[in-house]
Amino acid sequence: MKISTDTVVTMHYTLRNPEGEILDSSRGSDPLAYLHGHSQIVAGLERALNDRVVGDKVDIVVSPEDGYGTHDENLDLALPISAFPPEMQKELEPGVQFVAEHPDDDEQMAMYTVLSLDGDRVLVTGNHPLADVPLHFDVEIVEIRAATEEELDHGHVHGPGGHAH
Ligand code: ZN
């Protein structure tokens, strides 16, 4: 069986930055299972895995455009603390994440991370920590199977490496 849309792919992966530092890896724990063709992994990696078979080892570099995006200055914001609901104001500290409208498109949501607090201003960014970073993936395909109807219905994988519910 080859990897194609609506297959469930189980893989081991290691993600490195261009300096060779490991940013994330499934090695040493359970492999990752995802539903192929549903944008659950970055676009460049998903495309590179099309038609692969079990046992294939894939080394690829994904550009920021096909990865976590390029840095968007419009997503670096200084917000007045009063823009946050009172119960959230107490909990604002670096690293706190929240979802809010994209500044360029109020139909779209963006995930923001608090960077710092400066008096009554809160500095936040909607840029992904890996924006602008070319992603070096080293992947080994462990298993490929057809997704069940229930999985397609839910849009995610059930069982090992996936949702347990
Ligand atoms: Zn489900």
Side-chain angles (χ1 to χ4, degrees):
M1 182 168 212
K2 286 181 178 179
I3 295 177
S4 61
T5 297
D6 298 345
T7 56
V8 171
V9 179
T10 305
M11 65 181 186
H12 270 299
Y13 69 95
T14 299
L15 169 60
R16 293 182 179 80
N17 63 16
E19 289 72 44
E21 291 164 327
I22 294 178
L23 303 174
D24 193 12
S25 180
S26 64
R27 297 279 175 189
S29 58
D30 289 335
L32 173 79
Y34 77 94
L35 186 56
H36 191 82
H38 293 255
S39 303
Q40 295 185 338
I41 59 174
V42 296
L45 178 60
E46 185 161 61
R47 210 161 49 230
L49 295 181
N50 270 320
D51 294 330
R52 304 289 182 166
V53 297
V54 169
D56 275 3
K57 291 182 176 166
V58 184
D59 265 311
I60 61 151
V61 180
V62 173
S63 69
E65 290 78 7
D66 277 339
Y68 290 107
T70 51
H71 187 93
D72 178 353
E73 281 182 8
N74 290 342
L75 288 171
D76 293 329
L77 302 169
L79 303 171
I81 197 159
S82 57
F84 293 86
E87 66 276 13
M88 203 180 153
Q89 292 179 14
K90 288 172 252 157
E91 283 163 21
L92 291 172
E93 59 179 22
V96 167
Q97 294 188 312
F98 60 95
V99 172
E101 281 173 8
H102 192 289
D104 298 335
D105 175 4
D106 58 17
E107 302 271 290
Q108 201 191 325
M109 302 303 273
M111 167 83 85
Y112 293 89
T113 305
V114 175
L115 296 176
S116 62
L117 302 173
D118 174 18
D120 58 0
R121 292 191 320 157
V122 185
L123 305 180
V124 306
T125 183
N127 283 292
H128 192 281
L130 295 177
D132 283 346
V133 178
L135 308 170
H136 293 235
F137 281 100
D138 137 25
V139 170
E140 181 181 356
I141 308 303
V142 176
E143 194 194 328
I144 305 167
R145 64 171 171 84
T148 64
E149 285 200 14
E150 194 186 43
E151 286 173 324
L152 292 175
D153 214 40
H154 289 201
H156 56 227
V157 174
H158 293 164
H163 277 245
H165 63 151

